[in-house]
Amino acid sequence: MKTGTTALQNILRDHDGSLVLYPKTGQYGTGAHHNLVYNFLGNYSNSPTVREDSELLFERVAAETRQSDAPVVISSEVLVMHSRTGEFIKKLLDHLGGGFDVEILFAMREYFARAASLYSQMLRDERYRECGGPDEFIVRRAPMVAYEPALSLLKETGFKIHLFEYDPAPEFAPRFLKYLGFPEDRIPQIPVQNRSLSIKGMVVRVAINRAVSSLEERREFAPVLQQLHPKYGRSHFIFGQEAAKLAAKRFRYDRAIVREQFGIAAPMLDTTALGNPFRITEKDYEQIMATAVNAGAARDRFGECLREFVRSPSAR
């Protein structure tokens, strides 16, 4: 998650199959093969999942592969978080038949950048509706950002793992596609997908999540979200020094294990000279509150939650 997968899945979904085969079977609309994976796992809690017989889905994937000699690519972030990934791969191979070598492709992004991107995602996601500030989030969710637990699960499958460094971000998708066999002149324009919120956008989201519980009340804040500017932005370092120190300790341990077991040094920021920019100005506050005039009874609660993130006049 949060390593450019959505953009890659969009590209592969729309590819003509001449360079790699990206099965149509089992896809969600974004192009991820979540429907195939979730049906295999028997997990139907995500609303886009269409309940189908997983054996029939595997056979339909196999039928697609029989029409092509190209390498087959399956993509689902769920596969890095589950102990049954090896079982999934073996089941797929049973249906595909012989002649296939398996390689697991795994992208690694700088820890704090990935944490900020995860925070942005979980503020927006109705399943999580994150209410904590970024400092609380990174201390609580540091194990989720770490790579070793996922890599250890994948190592247990017995299949080869190839690690990709995400940074520099603009070069990641072209590098990944080249590895799959795309020549330079066949790499398409990389779409901007699933962008992180701007700091202002994140502040507004966390204030709404804290102030509003019912879906009906949340809809009253739609104008606030629609009129935000800027709504999106690049991933920022958004954490305070104390929280960053605690998270960095966990990340250093994770980084050492990854280096020892997989021979790669996961990138990590030196945060000692970085401040916490997770604040808005008084002018921002007034503009945001002006767009919430029709937000009903929750407006005052929202204003109180938003006020917590206003930078004091003396702050730099």
Side-chain angles (χ1 to χ4, degrees), residues 72-124:
V72 181
V73 179
I74 299 290
S75 179
S76 172
E77 296 89 330
V78 180
L79 292 172
V80 303
M81 300 183 290
H82 209 284
S83 61
R84 294 181 65 197
T85 295
E87 184 185 344
F88 171 88
I89 295 171
K90 289 168 185 173
K91 176 65 70 174
L92 179 58
L93 288 174
D94 287 344
H95 284 266
L96 295 180
F100 286 88
D101 294 320
V102 175
E103 188 172 33
I104 297 171
L105 308 181
F106 187 96
M108 304 182 75
R109 184 178 185 179
E110 193 281 319
Y111 290 94
F112 286 100
R114 183 163 178 261
S117 189
L118 277 169
Y119 179 65
S120 173
Q121 183 73 28
M122 294 173 78
L123 286 172
R124 291 179 286 178

Side-chain angles (χ1 to χ4, degrees), residues 13-234:
R13 176 197 62 193
D14 298 335
H15 176 56
D16 62 9
S18 60
L19 299 171
V20 298
L21 176 68
Y22 194 73
K24 302 296 184 186
T25 301
Q27 291 185 23
Y28 273 7
T30 58
H33 289 105
H34 294 336
N35 207 64
L36 175 63
V37 176
Y38 279 130
N39 273 285
F40 167 76
L41 296 174
N43 182 344
Y44 307 108
S45 58
N46 285 349
S47 56
T49 303
V50 178
R51 189 184 291 248
E52 298 183 67
D53 185 303
S54 63
E55 293 291 329
L56 293 178
L57 285 171
F58 281 125
E59 188 48 47
R60 281 163 52 195
V61 171
E64 289 188 58
T65 67
R66 288 192 283 269
Q67 305 302 312
S68 172
D69 293 326
V72 181
V73 179
I74 299 290
S75 179
S76 172
E77 296 89 330
V78 180
L79 292 172
V80 303
M81 300 183 290
H82 209 284
S83 61
R84 294 181 65 197
T85 295
E87 184 185 344
F88 171 88
I89 295 171
K90 289 168 185 173
K91 176 65 70 174
L92 179 58
L93 288 174
D94 287 344
H95 284 266
L96 295 180
F100 286 88
D101 294 320
V102 175
E103 188 172 33
I104 297 171
L105 308 181
F106 187 96
M108 304 182 75
R109 184 178 185 179
E110 193 281 319
Y111 290 94
F112 286 100
R114 183 163 178 261
S117 189
L118 277 169
Y119 179 65
S120 173
Q121 183 73 28
M122 294 173 78
L123 286 172
R124 291 179 286 178
D125 195 319
E126 286 293 328
R127 292 172 298 172
Y128 297 102
R129 208 158 64 195
E130 177 63 47
C131 291
D135 288 2
E136 178 192 340
F137 175 85
I138 198 168
V139 172
R140 176 166 37 92
R141 296 284 190 178
M144 182 180 181
V145 181
Y147 293 111
E148 184 275 330
L151 284 170
S152 291
L153 282 174
L154 295 177
K155 189 177 181 180
E156 288 176 5
T157 67
F159 296 108
K160 179 182 177 182
I161 301 172
H162 184 90
L163 301 181
F164 288 88
E165 289 194 32
Y166 175 83
D167 300 296
E171 300 172 13
F172 170 67
R175 268 191 288 116
F176 194 98
L177 293 171
K178 286 178 186 176
Y179 188 81
L180 293 183
F182 280 66
E184 188 78 43
D185 61 356
R186 293 288 302 276
I187 293 175
Q189 185 73 28
I190 308 301
V192 177
Q193 296 286 339
N194 207 8
R195 298 175 64 190
S196 289
L197 293 169
S198 64
I199 288 177
K200 189 189 295 186
M202 286 189 275
V203 167
V204 168
R205 281 283 186 175
V206 73
I208 292 174
N209 290 352
R210 289 179 178 183
V212 183
S213 55
S214 73
L215 183 60
E216 183 178 348
E217 279 188 315
R218 290 171 72 77
R219 286 174 178 156
E220 293 175 345
F221 284 87
V224 178
L225 298 170
Q226 289 166 359
Q227 295 178 54
L228 268 178
H229 182 76
K231 186 180 295 185
Y232 301 105
R234 61 183 178 83

Side-chain angles (χ1 to χ4, degrees), residues 266-284:
M268 191 168 79
L269 280 177
D270 177 3
T271 66
T272 54
L274 297 174
N276 180 1
F278 200 78
R279 295 287 183 270
I280 59 173
T281 65
E282 185 68 37
K283 183 178 179 180
D284 289 332

Side-chain angles (χ1 to χ4, degrees), residues 232-266:
Y232 301 105
R234 61 183 178 83
S235 183
H236 290 270
F237 181 82
I238 56 174
F239 310 104
Q241 280 296 313
E242 290 306 311
K245 285 179 184 177
L246 290 172
K249 187 176 180 180
R250 174 67 174 84
F251 296 154
R252 278 193 295 271
Y253 169 79
D254 186 80
R255 191 169 183 266
I257 297 295
V258 170
R259 185 173 58 247
E260 178 184 329
Q261 295 188 5
F262 297 93
I264 188 170

